[in-house]
Amino acid sequence: MNINKKTTYNFQSESKQLLNLMIHSLYSNKEIFIRELISNAADSIEKLNFYSISQPNLFENDPNNKIQISIKEKEKMLIISDNGIGMKYQEVIDNLGTIAKSGTKIFLESIEKITKKDNKLIGKFGVGFYSVFIVSKKVSVSTRYAGMPIDQAVLWESSGEGEFTVSLIKKETRGTEIKLYLKPEEEDFLQSWKIKNIINKYTDHISIPIEIESFDPKSKIYSWEKINKASALWTIKKNNINEQQYKDFYKQITNEDNEPLTWSHNQVEGKIEYISLIYIPSKSTWDLWNKENKHGLKLYIKRIYIMDNAEQFLPNYLRFIKGIIDSNDLPLNISREILQENKISQKLKTSITKKILLMLEKLSNQDNEKYKIFWKEFGLVFKEGPAEDQENKEMILNLLRFTSIKLNHKEQTLSLKDYVKNMLPEQEKIYFITADNYDSAYSSPHLELFKQKNIDVLLLSDRIDEWMMNYITEFQGKKFQSVSTTDNSIDKLTNKNSIENKDNKNEILLFIKKIKTILGNQIKDVRLTYRLTNTPAIVVTDANAMTTQMAKLFLAAGQTVNPIQYILEINPDHKFIQKIINIKDDTIKDWIQLLLEQALLAEKGTLENPNKFISLMNNLFLNN
Ligand code: ADP
Ligand code: MG
């Protein structure tokens, strides 16, 4: 074949369509063409390195791999070159003329048999190169396969409209040089700072140096300036990274000043290969509760930056986690939508979730103070865990923290393990109470029996608690039990000085009947209770009925709920009861109404008609 003789080829017919489709829709982000070209250049250098293990002459005495970019302002041209493996004539036709077929893919398949490890080749899909036509009116690629004579280089040219030409040319240096003749409206890409920013964003962590040509107007000298850091911290072996480097990296990726509480760095090999470097921040951000706001990990694929806030790798209840994931198995051109359904990303999510829970477990065992900070900042979010993640429930339960009667402070520091360890021999279940706030939980009459018996009760007053408790039924074989619902195990704890031993047994039974008649359908039932000391009466709900806190949640969410049918339990040993039991006149109706409303007020924190309650009380006060 003669030098300079041009041969014209057509793109595959479907290529034309694909090309159009892609230019208009595939990459909403124009700048992405730089990422694609650099990843190809890096691939070609990786390939050269790989082949030269058995054929050192491929280096042509120039082992310094690099990728170079120069900007030709006058010609409105961008040049990206590499000294990688390059392409042979037929390869140029095959690789750059067919969109669906990818040279990298074929190469990968062929080396898969030789080694599965240590190839950082990027991209298995053939659409990458064509992104050049998003910004270019014409592209020319000159390339020489490493080790080939200099007059056996190939020039490929196209304006991306269906045809390309190929010819043989001379090229001194091995590898590939791509000239992009920019469309008039894309001349922004001639600004060096812009190119630098894009490189920083997408390819900063590529291990091959990327250089940009810069011109010093004073000395009129051109020189090459290295613009990528070429240090993907996460790819360095753990032992060779110190604490400060980890902390600096955290600040770099989060733009935060605070130091992370802890981190976990995993280089996973095997069926799915990935590296993750995940951090627990020490401060929550204001946007943690804003569902619109983006959370998630920074996604890299073989060191190339793909996107921020890839939330697909984290369950919601771990959305406070920061960090990066670098996958070897995902395709470069993956979109958020595909990521959501992709099998590999789902596997990665499962794996990363476990890693995070293990990191938290370790923190809780090794550094109580830091764990307290974690819980204070992120406990509320973490409490979504039991509902969201059935698979890891056991681990999640271990990581929950509560406050309780015995703890005697608001701060949630008690683990379920410790609660169970301190259970009394006669105690069957894990008891809890839900309320609007800590104080009303702590002072609830439902707790009187438990305080008296020295049995600890978990005090739950975060809004999410009631909802969370719906998903928590058991821990270490012990059932959870709300103290405001009727329950056999609670009855068993009460003093056995049952009604049978009372002198006024009949009188009490009659009195209960009377209450039932007077209150009518305001209540479901009236019963005696021995679980109270300082309180004359409480209301409780049936074991399978909706609880007070749950009803509040529904109401707050704008849903209608049927009024709760409470059971009124009265304490026959209380002076209030002993006093009104003897009232024979009509005021007894008011006294009993007062008894019920007191109990409702204590339970709900509010009354349907406070004014009625106040005048009822005032009347009784004035008339007695
Ligand atoms: P992919 O990188 O996913 O294979 P591309 O469209 O980006 O798809 O590139 C197509 C093919 O062209 C590559 O697989 C590679 O064989 C070849 N190629 C592209 N750029 C270069 C380059 N700079 N050096 C050598 N080969 C290249
Ligand atoms: Mg590519």
Side-chain angles (χ1 to χ4, degrees):
M1 205 174 304
N2 294 329
I3 278 249
N4 288 335
K5 187 182 171 295
K6 274 191 189 174
T7 314
T8 303
Y9 297 86
N10 287 322
F11 283 111
Q12 277 186 332
S13 54
E14 69 270 28
S15 303
K16 282 187 205 170
Q17 287 168 313
L18 271 171
L19 193 58
N20 255 326
L21 190 78
M22 193 208 61
I23 290 173
H24 293 113
S25 64
L26 185 63
Y27 292 130
S28 50
N29 232 350
K30 284 176 187 165
E31 63 192 29
I32 224 126
F33 78 91
I34 293 183
R35 177 189 84 182
E36 295 296 332
L37 292 185
I38 293 208
S39 92
N40 284 348
D43 272 357
S44 80
I45 288 170
E46 298 277 358
K47 280 186 208 173
L48 175 69
N49 287 339
F50 182 77
Y51 286 138
S52 63
I53 298 169
S54 53
Q55 300 161 259
N57 60 321
L58 291 183
F59 273 130
E60 303 180 353
N61 299 322
D62 171 21
N64 293 323
N65 293 325
K66 55 185 174 283
I67 300 168
Q68 293 183 317
I69 302 173
S70 40
I71 296 169
K72 303 289 176 204
E73 253 178 86
K74 256 193 225 143
E75 295 95 326
K76 315 263 180 247
M77 184 168 69
L78 209 57
I79 306 177
I80 298 183
S81 63
D82 64 70
N83 58 357
I85 190 76
M87 283 177 273
K88 295 174 185 164
Y89 190 91
Q90 192 55 40
E91 285 178 328
V92 172
I93 298 171
D94 291 346
N95 295 337
L96 305 184
T98 321
I99 292 184
K101 193 169 146 194
S102 151
T104 302
K105 198 171 166 190
I106 292 173
F107 171 77
L108 269 179
E109 276 162 11
S110 76
I111 64 159
E112 204 152 33
K113 290 164 201 127
I114 309 169
T115 170
K116 277 201 148 179
K117 275 187 189 164
D118 227 8
N119 75 78
K120 300 180 191 73
L121 296 149
I122 302 154
K124 295 175 191 169
F125 287 78
V127 289
F129 172 76
Y130 292 85
S131 57
V132 290
F133 291 110
I134 302 174
V135 296
S136 317
K137 57 178 194 253
K138 184 184 156 194
V139 175
S140 73
V141 179
S142 36
T143 181
R144 182 168 66 79
Y145 194 84
M148 296 270 275
I150 55 167
D151 58 358
Q152 295 288 303
V154 185
L155 173 69
W156 177 101
E157 285 185 306
S158 178
S159 52
E161 277 165 355
E163 283 180 355
F164 60 89
T165 63
V166 185
S167 54
L168 279 182
I169 52 157
K170 274 192 177 171
K171 186 175 183 288
E172 297 282 338
T173 50
R174 69 162 186 267
T176 305
E177 179 185 271
I178 301 173
K179 288 184 174 152
L180 310 180
Y181 298 86
L182 296 176
K183 293 177 184 172
E185 66 271 25
E186 306 297 349
E187 284 168 14
D188 269 8
F189 289 106
L190 294 173
Q191 288 164 299
S192 154
W193 65 266
K194 182 160 181 168
I195 302 293
K196 285 183 193 169
N197 277 350
I198 298 170
I199 304 274
N200 276 332
K201 180 168 169 195
Y202 293 103
T203 53
D204 205 24
H205 295 291
I206 280 197
S207 54
I208 298 152
I210 304 172
E211 301 173 344
I212 194 163
E213 197 176 24
S214 66
F215 178 67
D216 181 8
K218 264 194 209 150
S219 59
K220 302 215 161 30
I221 292 179
Y222 284 93
S223 60
W224 291 104
E225 179 195 348
K226 185 180 159 207
I227 44 178
N228 62 328
K229 292 205 193 70
S231 68
L233 184 78
W234 62 90
T235 61
I236 301 171
K237 288 260 166 305
K238 283 196 227 180
N239 295 346
N240 299 330
I241 310 176
N242 64 34
E243 277 210 358
Q244 197 52 45
Q245 285 172 301
Y246 277 121
K247 289 178 180 170
D248 289 345
F249 186 72
Y250 171 80
K251 290 178 186 174
Q252 189 192 324
I253 59 167
T254 58
N255 291 324
E256 273 174 32
D257 280 339
N258 302 310
E259 301 215 322
L261 278 183
T262 183
W263 55 85
S264 157
H265 184 188
N266 301 288
Q267 296 163 323
V268 181
E269 288 179 0
K271 261 197 198 144
I272 47 169
E273 291 191 7
Y274 73 93
I275 301 173
S276 64
L277 175 49
I278 42 186
Y279 293 87
I280 304 175
S282 55
K283 271 224 131 355
S284 69
T285 45
W286 60 272
D287 58 357
L288 207 53
W289 294 101
N290 186 349
K291 287 247 150 64
E292 302 292 300
N293 246 300
K294 294 277 175 235
H295 314 281
L297 302 178
K298 243 184 200 325
L299 172 63
Y300 289 79
I301 294 177
K302 293 177 184 166
R303 295 190 189 184
I304 299 266
Y305 167 80
I306 305 296
M307 63 176 87
D308 271 317
N309 306 315
E311 70 276 14
Q312 293 81 355
F313 301 102
L314 296 178
N316 262 320
Y317 72 99
L318 298 176
R319 61 180 176 272
F320 51 85
I321 294 287
K322 306 269 184 186
I324 70 105
I325 170 165
D326 188 346
S327 158
N328 270 358
D329 305 304
L330 291 168
L332 252 200
N333 56 353
I334 197 153
S335 68
R336 281 186 192 276
E337 293 70 31
I338 297 172
L339 210 47
Q340 192 65 48
E341 277 140 37
N342 185 290
K343 285 245 159 61
I344 295 169
S345 51
Q346 281 166 6
K347 281 190 188 145
L348 290 172
K349 178 178 175 178
T350 310
S351 174
I352 286 177
T353 302
K354 288 245 157 67
K355 294 254 145 56
I356 296 172
L357 293 175
L358 282 170
M359 162 168 69
L360 286 168
E361 191 175 271
K362 198 169 147 199
L363 186 70
S364 73
N365 292 332
Q366 294 181 350
D367 195 330
N368 206 14
E369 284 314 305
K370 280 191 177 166
Y371 196 77
K372 273 187 195 164
I373 298 177
F374 155 71
W375 190 258
K376 195 167 143 266
E377 296 293 319
F378 305 111
L380 273 182
V381 178
F382 192 81
K383 283 179 176 182
E384 295 172 17
E388 188 182 353
D389 191 355
Q390 306 291 321
E391 200 181 319
N392 295 307
K393 206 171 213 173
E394 197 60 38
M395 266 183 117
I396 294 172
L397 291 190
N398 271 321
L399 293 168
L400 294 176
R401 291 295 180 269
F402 300 87
T403 179
S404 74
I405 302 179
K406 286 189 188 170
L407 218 52
N408 215 8
H409 59 66
K410 270 188 198 176
E411 214 188 328
Q412 299 167 9
T413 53
L414 179 69
S415 71
L416 289 174
K417 256 189 204 158
D418 286 339
Y419 179 93
V420 170
K421 216 187 281 167
N422 296 327
M423 278 170 67
L424 299 189
E426 68 268 31
Q427 184 184 349
E428 283 174 33
K429 298 186 176 178
I430 301 172
Y431 295 108
F432 68 93
I433 184 166
T434 51
D436 283 345
N437 51 57
Y438 174 81
D439 290 328
S440 63
Y442 189 85
S443 60
S444 165
H446 290 298
L447 299 185
E448 284 173 12
L449 170 72
F450 296 88
K451 285 176 179 164
Q452 191 192 350
K453 293 263 157 183
N454 204 23
I455 292 174
D456 207 5
V457 176
L458 304 175
L459 308 176
L460 301 172
S461 59
D462 287 328
R463 265 191 117 197
I464 189 173
D465 286 338
E466 180 73 34
W467 181 71
M468 174 181 74
M469 293 315 290
N470 276 317
Y471 294 88
I472 301 183
T473 47
E474 246 185 66
F475 178 78
Q476 295 186 349
K478 307 280 182 215
K479 291 221 154 51
F480 284 85
Q481 176 63 49
S482 161
V483 297
S484 56
T485 11
T486 54
D487 177 66
N488 228 345
S489 79
I490 301 179
D491 292 344
K492 278 196 224 159
L493 293 173
T494 57
N495 297 327
K496 298 267 184 283
N497 57 347
S498 79
I499 178 115
E500 297 304 328
N501 310 330
K502 298 263 179 205
D503 303 337
N504 58 346
K505 177 185 162 192
N506 284 336
E507 197 184 0
I508 294 173
L509 290 177
L510 275 174
F511 185 58
I512 285 181
K513 264 196 189 152
K514 195 174 189 176
I515 298 177
K516 268 189 209 171
T517 329
I518 290 172
L519 292 178
N521 58 11
Q522 290 187 76
I523 44 150
K524 191 173 177 189
D525 200 3
V526 183
R527 288 205 287 251
L528 285 179
T529 184
Y530 296 98
R531 54 193 264 190
L532 298 173
T533 48
N534 301 324
T535 310
I538 50 170
V539 289
V540 295
T541 47
D542 247 350
N544 45 16
M546 185 181 282
T547 60
T548 308
Q549 285 305 113
M550 198 45 137
K552 278 189 189 170
L553 281 185
F554 275 118
L555 286 173
Q559 309 218 25
T560 46
V561 282
N562 290 332
I564 296 173
Q565 286 283 298
Y566 286 106
I567 298 162
L568 180 68
E569 292 193 346
I570 61 166
N571 170 10
D573 298 330
H574 196 276
K575 280 198 176 128
F576 187 103
I577 303 296
Q578 285 166 359
K579 179 174 174 186
I580 66 171
I581 205 166
N582 296 319
I583 297 176
K584 302 292 175 227
D585 64 26
D586 229 25
T587 56
I588 187 63
K589 282 184 189 161
D590 286 350
W591 284 112
I592 285 170
Q593 190 65 33
L594 180 71
L595 191 67
L596 172 66
E597 302 219 357
Q598 270 187 8
L600 285 173
L601 184 57
E603 176 66 17
K604 303 204 285 187
T606 56
L607 282 173
E608 238 128 81
N609 191 344
N611 290 326
K612 195 179 124 203
F613 175 69
I614 291 165
S615 62
L616 182 71
M617 219 166 60
N618 290 347
N619 280 339
L620 286 169
F621 177 64
L622 293 172
N623 298 334
N624 287 276

